Amino acid sequence: MPTLILVRHGRSTANTSGVLAGWTPGVALDERGAAQAAALPARLAALPLSEVVTSPLQRCQETLRPLLEARPGLRAHTDERIGECHYGDWSGRKLAELTDEPLMEVVQAHPSAAAFPGGESLRAMQTRAAEAVREWNVRVERDHGADAVYLMCSHGDIIKSLVADALGLHLDLFQRISVEPCSVTAIRYTRLRPFLVRLGDTGDFASLVPREEPGEGDAPVGGGAGAP
């Protein structure tokens, strides 16, 4: 079966302002995110991409624009199932405000039980994304062969949930996974099991430098802004 390249969108204006964007319209890449997107074609130059699939949200489509311009033979298919989690009433709110919500503790420690008010559950998010991947695996193999490589541009929580699915991890463990903006994660699917062959690869180790104000250890909902 095919190899899936998962690209998280580049850093967005919501990432840098500390806002949980969700499906809020008009969330674009910031200056750094645009630079990350511009570097993507060179990073992926060696890969013979058969198909490109994207979340419908603006920040993902902007991330893919340089890649599609560099490869005029490719076009992006939009699939809402790999769109961001529907955070409902939390969408557009500051992450700093949400830390005091009782639900945040559940999101961190027991995400399989977390459902966002006016939105969806994290279980439902993972299910729809995993179903999309399985359907695209079949389609890509049918049209391009079992050794084909294809790409999906999506969001932090979606990608983390797909990695957990590939590793056979319970969703309650998916907050232990980190994927930075414009990072590349690769999963090779086979008839019997998937293999995680890259995780959150940015080619940049700046995020590993100790910070003056270390975090408290919670996973950033939505994926975080990456290296400062």
Side-chain angles (χ1 to χ4, degrees):
M1 295 183 73
T3 296
L4 169 61
I5 307 300
L6 288 161
V7 175
R8 185 183 168 201
H9 61 78
R11 196 174 74 175
S12 73
T13 54
N15 293 145
T16 46
S17 61
V19 168
L20 186 62
W23 284 71
T24 305
V27 176
L29 299 183
D30 68 4
E31 185 176 351
R32 180 170 180 172
Q36 291 170 332
L40 195 59
R43 291 172 62 198
L44 301 178
L47 295 179
L49 297 176
S50 300
E51 300 281 1
V52 172
V53 188
T54 181
S55 156
L57 295 173
Q58 178 179 336
R59 52 199 182 272
C60 287
Q61 306 217 357
E62 289 181 357
T63 299
L64 285 179
R65 190 170 298 148
L67 178 65
L68 295 174
E69 290 174 353
R71 302 196 190 198
L74 283 177
R75 68 181 184 90
H77 305 272
T78 300
D79 193 326
E80 291 198 357
R81 294 174 296 177
I82 62 166
E84 181 63 283
C85 184
H86 291 276
Y87 296 116
D89 297 345
W90 280 26
S91 298
R93 292 182 61 187
K94 288 278 191 181
L95 288 165
E97 299 173 2
L98 293 171
T99 57
D100 294 329
E101 294 280 354
L103 178 60
M104 182 60 85
E105 187 176 11
V106 181
V107 170
Q108 293 294 326
H110 190 19
S112 66
F116 296 98
E120 70 179 332
S121 68
L122 287 169
R123 292 190 318 280
M125 177 202 74
Q126 183 187 45
T127 298
R128 62 173 165 85
E131 286 178 350
V133 166
R134 283 163 173 76
E135 289 181 20
W136 276 102
N137 282 347
V138 172
R139 177 173 173 175
V140 169
E141 182 172 5
R142 181 196 67 204
D143 294 345
H144 303 285
D147 295 326
V149 180
Y150 75 108
L151 181 148
M152 284 184 168
C153 186
S154 188
H155 307 265
D157 282 348
I158 293 284
I159 294 172
K160 287 162 56 178
S161 75
L162 290 171
V163 169
D165 175 76
L167 292 176
L169 292 177
H170 196 284
L171 184 61
D172 284 344
L173 301 179
F174 100 123
Q175 297 290 27
R176 301 184 183 193
I177 299 165
S178 175
V179 289
E180 292 195 6
C182 224
S183 63
V184 173
T185 294
I187 301 171
R188 181 172 295 125
Y189 289 87
T190 74
R191 185 174 66 87
L192 296 180
R193 65 182 65 85
F195 293 89
L196 178 67
V197 292
R198 291 288 189 280
L199 176 61
D201 188 345
T202 64
D204 179 3
F205 296 103
S207 65
L208 302 181
V209 176
R211 302 189 183 185
E212 293 183 6
E213 297 182 2
E216 296 181 357
D218 282 346
V221 180

